[in-house]
Amino acid sequence: MSCVHYRFQSRLTYDSLQFEGLNISAGELKRQIMRSKRLKFCQLKISNAQTDEEYTDDALISKNTSVIIRRIPAAGLKSSNRRFVGHQAGRWREPSPRADPSLLSLEQLLKTENLAEAKASEEDKLKAVMYQSSLCYYSSRAAAPRRTSASGRAQGFPAASCWRWTTQTERES
């Protein structure tokens, strides 16, 4: 049995495809590669690994030849290499003014306790969640009493200060 060594352009290692006879047509090689790799909705471009000669579908490839395979999107299909799934032209624009006056405004949402059942846009609900979650953090930091030493300097948390470097007067207080 004869074989052809092939690799995809993005791969480093070669795979082998066995066939009967001295030559195989490029079209038949494409069909066998697509079947073995389970490729759909793409076309393959085959070129010789040593000479970079591109083969047409009716060209014969002799046995023990190394070829490089390039995947190309099928005719009529767009590439699926997109950053955002579901992105449509014109979809990502600034939000329009409120069409429904019954929706709560952002200021009213900031005071609402149950945002899940509030009647508002999802974007405003997310903004309110972010604001409310950070509000608890900042209000607790502002209301916390600052600890001061006997010398009048502010101290950090007890775990943050080093016992070895504190002075005797700071240890006694």
Side-chain angles (χ1 to χ4, degrees):
M1 295 199 75
S2 304
C3 69
V4 170
H5 306 284
Y6 69 93
R7 74 173 178 93
F8 286 94
Q9 186 177 10
S10 60
R11 304 278 315 250
L12 296 176
T13 59
Y14 281 90
D15 293 324
S16 298
L17 183 75
Q18 294 184 351
F19 61 93
E20 293 290 330
L22 299 174
N23 300 321
I24 187 171
S25 69
E28 181 62 27
L29 180 64
K30 287 179 186 180
R31 281 189 288 281
Q32 288 187 13
I33 291 172
M34 289 181 75
R35 188 179 318 123
S36 68
K37 296 294 183 179
R38 296 186 180 131
L39 299 175
K40 295 180 182 177
F41 308 118
C42 68
Q43 295 176 351
L44 300 179
K45 192 180 281 189
I46 300 176
S47 61
N48 192 319
Q50 284 80 24
T51 63
D52 288 333
E53 172 193 356
E54 190 172 315
Y55 295 111
T56 59
D57 282 346
D58 56 348
L60 294 176
I61 301 171
S62 60
K63 65 179 183 176
N64 298 327
T65 302
S66 298
V67 295
I68 296 177
I69 310 294
R70 291 178 183 83
R71 278 180 268 211
I72 300 171
L77 294 178
K78 293 183 179 179
S79 173
S80 64
N81 186 12
R82 289 186 273 178
R83 275 202 127 121
F84 302 105
V85 177
H87 173 67
Q88 298 171 355
R91 183 174 172 200
W92 307 107
R93 59 179 176 255
E94 290 297 318
S96 60
R98 295 187 192 282
D100 190 5
S102 65
L103 295 178
L104 295 175
S105 68
L106 184 59
E107 292 80 23
Q108 293 170 334
L109 278 177
L110 295 177
K111 299 172 187 169
T112 305
E113 292 181 14
N114 189 359
L115 291 173
E117 296 177 1
K119 188 173 182 183
S121 67
E122 290 296 317
E123 184 178 332
D124 287 343
K125 286 182 183 179
L126 287 174
K127 287 180 183 177
V129 165
M130 296 298 288
Y131 176 78
Q132 288 179 354
S133 66
S134 63
L135 183 65
C136 293
Y137 173 74
Y138 288 117
S139 64
S140 66
R141 296 277 295 171
R146 296 196 75 177
R147 297 169 26 130
T148 58
S149 64
S151 62
R153 294 184 312 175
Q155 283 184 327
F157 292 106
S161 60
C162 179
W163 183 259
R164 184 175 169 194
W165 294 103
T166 56
T167 61
Q168 183 66 27
T169 56
E170 289 175 343
R171 282 189 218 143
E172 293 171 357
S173 60

